[in-house]
Amino acid sequence: MKWSELPPPWQGCWEEGWAAYRAGSLFIGAVVTDSDGRSVGRGRNHYNDCDALPFQVRHNQLAHAELNALLWLSPKPAAVHDYHIYTLVEPCPLCMGAIYMSGVRAVHYAARDPWAGSTDMLGKTPYLSRKPVKVFAPELPELETAVAAMGVCCEIRDRPDVPSVVIEALRGILPQAVALGERLAAERLPLRWRAEGWEACQVFEQLVELV
């Protein structure tokens, strides 16, 4: 898959994810689109950095990509029920709650998360059964593998000496992605790409080639 073949919302998510990685945070980006498919909000993970817009969350464990993308929707648009949110990783409980409460009714995620992914929260309580939120599982295998590999790389970078339950959970469903992520970390490839000033599109095409 070439960068030019990646739908624009996923390009935006990947660009945000790469910006997050370059800043030392997690490789997760999100994009909100309106009823015409136009981007109306973008956000990235800001766990470990402060380089965010004033209305976004930064340098905090709550600084998730989906939340920061949704914060663009203020005041709440009249047509928000027709909006879609795209995110690189299956939303966690925090982000599923934020999406549900925002009024956005369609969720697309590029890569499964068997550890924190919480799209199955929908329908579990009376409140979470009220709104017809649609969830779209990964549809692009190469994108999912590349995203998951970068996630593994970040997990090893941030916890090099701690056995990772996140990685082991992922290994059960995406072993190829875990192997690639471990290779990326061992060879320090993303760190080299960052130092060399690679653009998001270059990183994507290189990872797809490695897949």
Side-chain angles (χ1 to χ4, degrees):
M1 171 178 279
K2 299 295 184 184
W3 176 257
S4 59
E5 298 170 330
L6 199 61
W10 292 128
Q11 289 182 350
C13 289
W14 187 272
E15 288 167 350
E16 292 294 326
W18 180 237
Y21 179 84
R22 287 196 324 243
S25 292
L26 300 185
F27 189 88
I28 307 176
V31 169
V32 178
T33 63
D34 65 13
S35 56
D36 294 319
R38 295 173 299 198
S39 174
V40 294
R42 291 169 58 140
R44 68 170 178 83
N45 187 278
H46 282 281
Y47 265 21
N48 299 321
D49 71 274
C50 296
D51 185 21
L53 294 170
F55 61 87
Q56 293 183 322
V57 186
R58 67 195 71 102
H59 203 238
N60 188 290
Q61 291 299 301
L62 302 180
H64 292 210
E66 298 92 330
L67 179 60
N68 279 328
L70 291 168
L71 287 172
W72 283 89
L73 306 183
S74 181
K76 181 182 289 189
V80 70
H81 292 170
D82 298 322
Y83 285 21
H84 291 234
I85 185 166
Y86 295 76
T87 176
L88 290 182
V89 179
E90 182 181 357
C92 70
L94 169 68
C95 294
M96 268 317 299
I99 292 166
Y100 194 84
M101 298 183 78
S102 74
V104 173
R105 295 287 174 85
V107 184
H108 306 254
Y109 61 94
R112 290 165 285 173
D113 181 355
W115 178 250
S118 298
T119 54
D120 61 353
M121 286 173 52
L122 296 173
K124 293 297 179 64
T125 68
Y127 175 66
L128 291 171
S129 301
R130 293 175 59 244
K131 303 176 184 180
V133 177
K134 295 181 180 179
V135 176
F136 298 86
E139 298 176 343
L140 301 172
E142 290 173 312
L143 175 61
E144 180 175 37
T145 299
V147 169
M150 285 299 298
V152 168
C153 190
C154 287
E155 184 74 7
I156 294 171
R157 177 199 66 189
D158 295 343
R159 301 174 180 86
D161 301 317
V162 179
S164 174
V165 293
V166 176
I167 293 176
E168 291 313 307
L170 195 57
R171 197 187 305 276
I173 63 169
L174 291 169
Q176 182 184 13
V178 172
L180 177 56
E182 291 172 336
R183 176 187 169 188
L184 294 176
E187 298 180 11
R188 302 173 62 85
L189 291 176
L191 290 174
R192 191 186 76 195
W193 300 336
R194 181 182 69 176
E196 294 175 356
W198 282 32
E199 299 293 334
C201 57
Q202 294 174 282
V203 175
F204 176 77
E205 293 198 343
Q206 180 62 63
L207 280 173
V208 168
E209 184 176 321
L210 293 173
V211 170

